[in-house]
């Protein structure tokens, strides 16, 4: 028994199992030195492992987990053998060895998925009384590692050590670590089988992927519990989807949030904001949202307006709204110490701010000067904070942007370790609360914006966050630089966030620090329009960064790419709906598209967007194309319909007016006409681009009002398009479910890549005149107009 603190030196290990208890899905293994392992089978594929070292478990609490997740009950078998216990689910077999409490998990075919090396062990930290909890696992043959949020590393993490301690990292670079977010979740892939590992511990944590010892992967945290979730795939997409179900999915955003956003630090005064807004409309460059950075406030006091720059905010916001712009404002956590400022007064009067260990308030400088900081881990503080948005929302603000919530302070980067937090009734220090602070701020903001936006949907964005933050806000990758390397990084970071459960992400297009060349801006924008969150943002001291700031030719290109985003909006929205309903990552790195092809394991430029598109940005100057790896299957080059078989490297020709972009054969891609903003005009016609495949394929389209909560009650439509092609025919079937009737009355169906000349066409078994079909001789496409309720279309 380890009950003498003097003996708690160095690394400590579990003893041998002497007892075991089992209740439904819960299994408790008791060791002879007071260590307990609690194994909980959440589903057949998700198993939680939780260790206690002092003979008892503290109260169970996590900010990460979704409150609405309804796991499917596992079916379990439990056996005791001479030297081990065995828990078998429908999908995996968990072995717990009596000696040392060592764990191993196999799939049903007997392949080892994970296996403890030294397993769970810990060190007692006298200074804090915390246990540094550690676990080490054997690296399986040919194992690769992915995930962990916004890390600025190569996609594949093997050979890396990474840290989770959210940090304000202005001008970070490739391999800088840690960055703003804390997502202690990774995905392992070996023998073509994928699994996930979520270490739900908010203390400063580290992951070592075969870096220190080439045959060992380990992770540890500076306090808290060894508490991890093993997630079985075997598909990569399935691993991310289950992690996302566990930690929660966001609601559907308002459709306009998938439009183009324009930001700068800062647009002021009002005349400047208006000029920028008008600049979009004059040039017919679509844009939905315009941002006000910190200068809109009075001396950077949150929830105030500068009287000089914005004398009548409500009027301005309304005028912008009439021109189709939704106004988004920044709100930071730091509340200026100012006895005459109402937010400060309320915070002080109700004791809402964080305290140091010995009692004084936590003080630190941010933009407004000396500030106090709300303890967002207290329910009453979150309620108060949510209520503060009332006036802003009444002024017509449509979205709120949370920044500096790592939390950042100028003096020493972040709060000192001794700062106290309520932690929802589990009082703790900054060591434990640091990594979840930003998420709880985003949560409080979301509560307020949601309440006052109702019956419309809220829009929020946050810089920092912990696992589960995706429920409360979209995000961006922070203060990047206008360089080609940073554009390359933006591509990796957004994919990595997406497979880490956080799809609604984007980068500051063109770079936040410094000024991009026109070429870099256009290449970056061409990538950004395929990210779920699409915003140009830059720091004011480095020149202009509006889409028209780089000469006429580039303005035309910027317009073209932003228009493409608006055309693809129904596709992006459908992809978002799939994320919201199934947890499917919106962006998928190449390996997620084909984990059975090891060529995909180390590549990272190419990514899938939704079901049917493959994108690969050009991240070098003066290129007229690039080599990329096309996954197996047949793909159409979007720009000229050229058909290429994948499973090999291909050259994609892409001057500045293109981004390498492929459509999967068999796909149906829905497109809207270009609008200058969502809601500008009714959509009268939906275009369906159908790409011929010799074989069968299925595509999805989700439609609803694009705002409000009707979809929750079934006011939405899910359309499934099944295509089936032969060398002589193509059939398209449409199956719909749900109750929603879009405004448009026509489908414009464009058939691409038919290997035969159309002589007969039938819709719902009624033949249509060939003369009614438009043929494009250059692209070899056929266009047919029909009703949105058609069921089957056949051409041969
Ligand atoms: C931080 C943010 C940046 C913002 C600036 C001023 O640097 O990351 O996006 O513009 O603060 O608020």
């Amino acid at each position: 028994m380890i009950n003498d603190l003097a003996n708690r030196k160095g690394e400590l290990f579990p003893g041998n199992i002497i007892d075991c208890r089992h209740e439904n899905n819960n299994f408790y293994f008791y060791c002879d030195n007071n260590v307990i392992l609690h194994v909980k089978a959440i589903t057949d594929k998700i198993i939680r492992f939780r260790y206690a070292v002092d003979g008892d478990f503290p109260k169970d609490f996590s900010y990460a987990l979704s409150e609405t997740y309804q796991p499917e009950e596992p079916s379990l078998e439990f056996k005791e053998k001479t030297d081990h216990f065995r828990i078998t689910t429908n999908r995996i077999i968990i072995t717990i060895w009596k000696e040392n409490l060592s764990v191993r998990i196999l799939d049903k075919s007997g392949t080892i998925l994970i296996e403890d090396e030294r397993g769970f062990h810990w060190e007692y930290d006298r200074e804090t009384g915390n246990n540094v909890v550690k676990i080490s696992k054997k690296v399986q043959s040919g194992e690769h590692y992915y995930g962990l949020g916004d890390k600025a590393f190569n996609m594949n993490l093997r050979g890396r050590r990474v840290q989770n301690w959210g940090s304000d990292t202005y001008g970070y670079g490739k391999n800088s670590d840690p960055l703003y977010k804390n997502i202690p979740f990774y995905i392992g892939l070996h023998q073509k089988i994928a699994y996930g590992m979520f270490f739900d511990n908010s203390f400063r944590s580290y992951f070592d992927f075969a870096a220190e010892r080439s045959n060992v992967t380990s992770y540890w945290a500076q306090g808290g519990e060894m508490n991890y979730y093993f997630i079985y795939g075997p598909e990569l997409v399935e691993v991310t989807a289950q992690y996302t179900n566990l930690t929660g999915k966001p609601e559907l955003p308002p459709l306009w949030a998938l439009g183009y956003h324009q930001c700068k630090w800062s647009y002021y005064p009002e005349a400047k904001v208006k000029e920028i807004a008008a600049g979009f409309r004059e040039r017919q460059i679509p844009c939905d949202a315009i941002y006000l950075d910190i200068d809109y406030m009075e001396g950077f006091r949150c929830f105030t307006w500068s009287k000089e720059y914005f004398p009548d905010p409500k009027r301005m916001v309304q005028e912008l709204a009439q021109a189709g712009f939704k106004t988004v404002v920044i709100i930071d956590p730091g509340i200026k110490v100012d006895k005459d400022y109402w937010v400060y007064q309320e915070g002080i009067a109700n004791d809402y701010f964080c305290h140091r260990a010995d009692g004084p308030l936590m003080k630190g400088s941010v933009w407004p000067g000396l500030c106090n900081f709300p303890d967002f881990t207290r329910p009453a503080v979150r309620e108060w904070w949510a209520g503060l948005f009332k006036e802003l929302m009444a002024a017509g603000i449509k979205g709120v942007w949370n920044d500096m919530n790592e939390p950042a302070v100028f003096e020493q980067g972040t709060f000192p370790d001794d700062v106290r937090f309520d932690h929802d009734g589990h009082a703790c220090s900054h060591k434990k609360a640091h990594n979840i602070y930003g998420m709880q701020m985003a949560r409080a903001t979301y509560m307020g914006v949601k309440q006052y936006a109702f019956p419309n949907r809220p829009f929020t964005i946050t810089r920092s966050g912990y696992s589960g933050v995706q429920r409360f806000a979209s995000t961006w990758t922070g203060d990047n630089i206008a360089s080609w390397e940073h554009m390359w990084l933006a591509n990796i970071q957004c994919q990595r966030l997406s497979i880490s459960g956080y799809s609604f992400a984007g980068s500051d297009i063109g770079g936040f620090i410094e000024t991009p060349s026109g070429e870099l801006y256009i290449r970056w924008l061409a990538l950004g329009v395929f990210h779920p969150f699409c915003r140009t943002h830059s720091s004011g001291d480095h020149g202009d960064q509006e889409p028209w700031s780089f000469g006429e030719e580039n303005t035309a290109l910027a317009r073209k790419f932003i228009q493409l985003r608006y055309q693809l909006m129904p596709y992006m929205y459908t992809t978002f709906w799939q994320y919201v309903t199934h947890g499917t990552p919106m962006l998928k790195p190449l390996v997620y598209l084909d984990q059975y092809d090891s060529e995909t394991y180390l590549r990272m430029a190419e990514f899938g967007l939704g079901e049917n598109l493959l994108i690969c940005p050009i991240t070098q100057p003066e290129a007229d194309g690039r080599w990329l790896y096309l996954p197996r299957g047949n793909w159409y080059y979007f720009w000229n319909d050229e058909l290429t078989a994948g499973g090999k490297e291909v050259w994609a020709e892409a001057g500045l007016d293109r981004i390498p972009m492929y459509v999967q054969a068999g796909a149906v891609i829905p497109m809207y006409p270009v609008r200058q903003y969502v809601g500008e005009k009714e959509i009268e016609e939906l275009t369906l681009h159908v790409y011929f495949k010799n074989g069968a394929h299925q595509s999805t389209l989700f439609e609803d009002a694009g705002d409000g909560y009707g979809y929750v009650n079934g006011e939405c439509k899910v359309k499934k398009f099944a295509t089936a092609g032969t060398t002589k025919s193509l059939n398209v079937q449409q199956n719909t479910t749900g109750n929603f009737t879009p405004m448009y009355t026509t489908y414009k169906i464009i058939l691409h890549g038919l290997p035969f000349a159309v002589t007969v066409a039938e819709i719902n078994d009624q033949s249509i005149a060939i003369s009614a079909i438009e043929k494009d001789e250059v692209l070899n496409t056929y266009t047919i107009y029909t009703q949105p309720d058609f069921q089957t279309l056949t051409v041969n």
Side-chain angles (χ1 to χ4, degrees):
M1 182 102 72
I2 305 171
N3 58 5
D4 176 359
L5 288 185
N7 288 334
R8 295 196 179 191
K9 284 191 196 133
E11 293 192 322
L12 304 164
F13 288 82
N16 298 326
I17 300 177
I18 47 168
D19 193 11
C20 157
R21 258 178 255 156
H22 153 214
E23 245 170 62
N24 305 324
N25 307 351
N26 295 289
F27 305 85
Y28 297 87
F29 302 96
Y30 300 86
C31 295
D32 54 11
N33 64 348
N34 255 351
V35 174
I36 313 171
L37 165 60
H38 174 192
V39 178
K40 178 170 186 181
I42 294 170
T43 67
D44 282 323
K45 291 179 164 191
I46 306 183
I47 315 292
R48 180 183 183 192
F49 294 84
R50 187 179 181 213
Y51 296 80
V53 299
D54 284 321
D56 209 357
F57 285 97
K59 210 169 148 206
D60 199 10
F61 180 76
S62 163
Y63 280 116
L65 304 181
S66 153
E67 283 161 12
T68 53
Y69 175 51
Q70 291 181 325
E72 264 177 46
E73 283 294 306
S75 73
L76 298 170
E77 217 182 79
F78 181 60
K79 282 208 174 110
E80 177 168 2
K81 302 274 177 172
T82 5
D83 58 352
H84 68 273
F85 294 93
R86 197 162 71 201
I87 305 166
T88 308
T89 79
N90 254 343
R91 305 303 300 263
I92 51 177
I93 304 156
I94 304 135
T95 308
I96 294 128
W97 304 97
K98 291 185 179 170
E99 197 181 326
N100 292 340
L101 204 55
S102 172
V103 171
R104 186 181 76 184
I105 301 181
L106 310 178
D107 70 5
K108 279 275 163 110
S109 74
T111 305
I112 297 178
L113 302 170
I114 58 163
E115 187 175 19
D116 278 352
E117 188 250 353
R118 295 162 81 200
F120 168 61
H121 51 292
W122 75 100
E123 268 182 82
Y124 179 66
D125 175 4
R126 269 160 216 284
E127 200 60 44
T128 62
N130 286 321
N131 292 313
V132 180
V133 289
K134 315 178 182 186
I135 203 156
S136 64
K137 309 261 173 205
K138 290 180 188 165
V139 172
Q140 301 299 319
S141 152
E143 187 155 12
H144 298 274
Y145 302 95
Y146 305 94
L148 278 163
D150 64 349
K151 301 297 176 198
F153 296 125
N154 283 353
M155 186 70 73
N156 192 323
L157 294 168
R158 185 161 178 164
R160 292 271 169 207
R161 175 176 291 190
V162 304
Q163 191 189 148
N164 291 310
W165 185 255
S167 304
D168 177 10
T169 41
Y170 178 87
Y172 64 91
K174 189 178 176 196
N175 299 336
S176 294
D177 187 55
L179 298 185
Y180 304 90
K181 295 171 193 67
N182 318 291
I183 306 191
F185 163 66
Y186 72 85
I187 303 115
L189 174 69
H190 59 85
Q191 293 155 97
K192 308 195 177 359
I193 304 168
Y195 70 87
M197 189 62 83
F198 171 40
F199 179 28
D200 187 9
N201 181 317
S202 64
F203 281 80
R204 189 192 291 264
S205 63
Y206 296 85
F207 288 76
D208 185 299
F209 299 104
E212 187 176 310
R213 288 186 288 153
S214 62
N215 54 348
V216 176
T217 279
S218 58
Y219 49 92
W220 62 98
Q222 290 181 337
E225 296 175 18
M226 178 45 66
N227 169 33
Y228 72 85
Y229 295 78
F230 169 85
I231 302 170
Y232 175 61
E235 302 282 336
L236 285 161
V237 172
E238 171 74 3
V239 174
T240 293
Q242 291 187 82
Y243 164 79
T244 313
N245 287 332
L246 184 68
T247 57
K249 293 168 293 202
E251 294 176 2
L252 272 178
L255 187 61
W256 65 262
L258 299 184
Y260 173 77
H261 301 211
Q262 183 68 34
C263 186
K264 170 150 213 152
W265 177 17
S266 300
Y267 288 134
Y268 70 94
E270 172 178 338
K272 182 73 189 174
V273 179
K274 291 274 193 55
E275 178 197 318
I276 297 296
F280 278 94
R281 300 298 180 246
E282 273 158 28
R283 295 174 180 87
Q284 291 285 289
I285 299 176
C287 182
D288 259 283
I290 192 148
Y291 282 59
L292 301 179
D293 204 328
I294 48 176
D295 298 280
Y296 78 91
M297 305 174 196
E298 192 67 63
F300 308 126
R301 289 169 187 81
C302 292
F303 307 103
T304 67
W305 290 88
S306 156
K307 287 193 192 61
E308 187 190 343
Y309 300 143
F310 297 99
D312 190 353
K314 191 166 183 173
R315 176 190 41 75
M316 177 191 73
V317 172
Q318 264 170 13
E319 284 165 9
L320 286 167
Q322 275 153 18
F325 288 92
K326 292 81 189 171
T327 308
V328 180
V329 296
I330 196 167
I331 288 288
D332 288 350
I335 298 300
K336 187 176 176 66
V337 174
D338 171 0
K339 292 206 163 59
D340 298 324
Y341 166 37
W342 61 283
V343 181
Y344 175 77
Q345 289 166 350
E346 287 186 20
I348 292 291
N350 298 291
D351 199 17
Y352 287 151
F353 298 130
C354 293
H355 288 268
R356 301 292 299 268
D358 292 331
L361 288 171
M362 161 64 208
K363 292 187 272 304
S365 304
V366 224
W367 310 120
L370 209 59
C371 286
N372 292 144
F373 300 83
D375 178 2
F376 293 108
T377 71
R378 234 174 92 195
V381 177
R382 290 196 296 268
E383 285 287 334
W384 166 64
W385 186 261
L388 295 175
F389 289 94
K390 188 171 179 184
E391 268 182 54
L392 274 179
M393 299 299 289
I397 296 303
K398 290 284 183 285
V400 176
W401 166 27
N402 284 162
D403 186 27
M404 306 293 276
N405 54 355
E406 290 68 30
V409 288
F410 295 153
E411 286 84 3
Q412 68 277 48
T414 189
F415 295 180
D417 279 348
D418 70 284
V419 173
R420 304 293 301 161
F421 292 86
D422 178 66
H423 211 270
D424 280 69
H426 314 80
C428 71
S429 81
H430 184 245
K431 280 169 165 288
K432 182 170 177 177
H434 173 86
N435 279 347
I436 53 89
Y437 186 84
M439 171 199 203
Q440 293 312 302
M441 179 191 186
R443 174 181 176 186
T445 299
Y446 165 80
M447 280 164 52
V449 179
K450 183 171 169 160
Q451 179 182 346
Y452 300 113
F454 192 81
N456 294 319
R457 300 175 193 166
F459 174 69
T460 47
I461 161 165
T462 178
R463 192 169 71 175
S464 188
Y466 180 72
S467 292
V469 61
Q470 70 272 5
R471 284 175 275 155
F472 308 124
S474 64
T475 193
W476 87 110
T477 58
D479 297 344
N480 58 5
I481 304 173
S483 70
W484 289 95
E485 181 170 271
H486 264 271
M487 183 198 161
W488 179 91
L489 267 178
N491 179 25
I492 311 301
Q493 287 180 288
C494 291
Q495 293 181 55
R496 203 200 299 284
L497 280 162
S498 180
I499 61 171
S500 308
Y502 211 171
S503 283
F504 202 2
S507 66
D508 284 352
I509 293 172
F512 175 71
I513 302 162
E514 294 172 13
T515 308
S517 64
E519 185 192 8
L520 174 59
Y521 181 74
I522 295 301
R523 289 293 194 198
W524 202 321
L525 181 64
L527 167 66
V529 299
F530 294 102
H531 285 159
F533 177 58
C534 177
R535 180 184 77 162
T536 293
H537 179 38
S538 68
S539 152
D541 38 2
H542 302 111
D544 294 339
Q545 209 157 301
E546 289 77 43
W548 56 83
S549 307
F550 304 94
E552 257 177 51
E553 267 176 48
N554 289 324
T555 303
L557 292 174
R559 179 187 300 114
K560 177 178 143 163
F561 284 116
I562 296 175
Q563 284 178 342
L564 180 58
R565 181 172 179 94
Y566 279 77
Q567 289 172 298
L568 280 169
M569 205 171 254
Y571 181 81
M572 185 66 98
Y573 194 53
T574 299
T575 305
F576 212 113
W577 172 77
Q578 286 165 328
Y579 168 50
V580 162
T581 355
H582 308 296
T584 317
M586 294 177 69
L587 307 183
K588 298 185 201 108
L590 202 56
V591 63
Y592 269 61
L593 297 178
D594 194 351
Q595 72 192 62
Y596 304 100
D597 174 3
S598 55
E599 278 294 325
T600 63
Y601 292 5
L602 294 165
R603 295 175 191 267
M604 56 195 126
E606 309 85 342
F607 66 92
L609 168 66
E611 285 175 338
N612 289 315
L613 294 180
L614 183 97
I615 315 290
C616 186
I618 287 186
T619 49
Q620 285 188 341
E622 291 173 36
D624 52 10
R626 68 165 293 157
W627 288 97
L628 59 98
Y629 188 80
L630 207 53
R632 291 182 292 183
N634 289 312
W635 298 85
Y636 288 87
Y637 198 45
F638 176 77
W639 307 103
N640 60 10
D641 277 5
E642 200 174 285
L643 186 64
T644 311
K648 60 173 191 275
E649 285 210 348
V650 298
W651 171 260
E653 199 144 303
L656 204 49
D657 59 342
R658 291 177 174 181
I659 177 170
M661 172 178 178
Y662 292 83
V663 185
Q664 207 170 149
V668 175
I669 307 284
M671 283 202 193
Y672 280 165
V674 170
R675 291 185 290 176
Q676 295 309 304
Y677 56 90
V678 169
E680 184 205 12
K681 51 187 177 209
E682 287 303 342
I683 289 171
E684 289 168 359
E685 181 179 277
L686 181 81
T687 304
L688 295 176
H689 291 274
V690 179
Y691 290 85
F692 174 84
K693 177 187 180 180
N694 195 343
H697 190 81
Q698 187 163 283
S699 307
T700 314
L701 170 62
F702 171 81
E703 295 176 314
D704 74 350
D707 210 335
Y709 292 91
Y711 75 99
V712 177
N713 304 316
E715 285 165 38
C716 57
K717 201 151 226 169
V718 181
K719 300 176 172 174
K720 295 277 180 194
F721 298 103
T723 52
T726 69
T727 47
K728 294 193 192 103
S729 70
L730 172 67
N731 175 257
V732 185
Q733 302 259 0
Q734 175 178 237
N735 267 305
T736 65
T737 48
N739 288 315
F740 175 75
T741 314
M743 293 304 285
Y744 58 80
T745 46
T746 311
Y747 269 170
K748 177 179 182 180
I749 301 182
I750 305 185
L751 307 175
H752 296 252
L754 295 183
F756 53 88
V758 174
T759 52
V760 182
E762 283 178 356
I763 290 182
N764 299 340
D765 299 326
Q766 304 268 310
S767 65
I768 46 173
I770 292 300
S771 55
I773 302 176
E774 292 166 13
K775 177 158 194 210
D776 181 324
E777 299 290 345
V778 182
L779 275 176
N780 183 32
T781 57
Y782 292 86
T783 301
I784 300 175
Y785 293 87
T786 185
Q787 313 274 320
D789 60 0
F790 92 95
Q791 286 168 356
T792 167
L793 161 72
T794 309
V795 291
N796 45 43

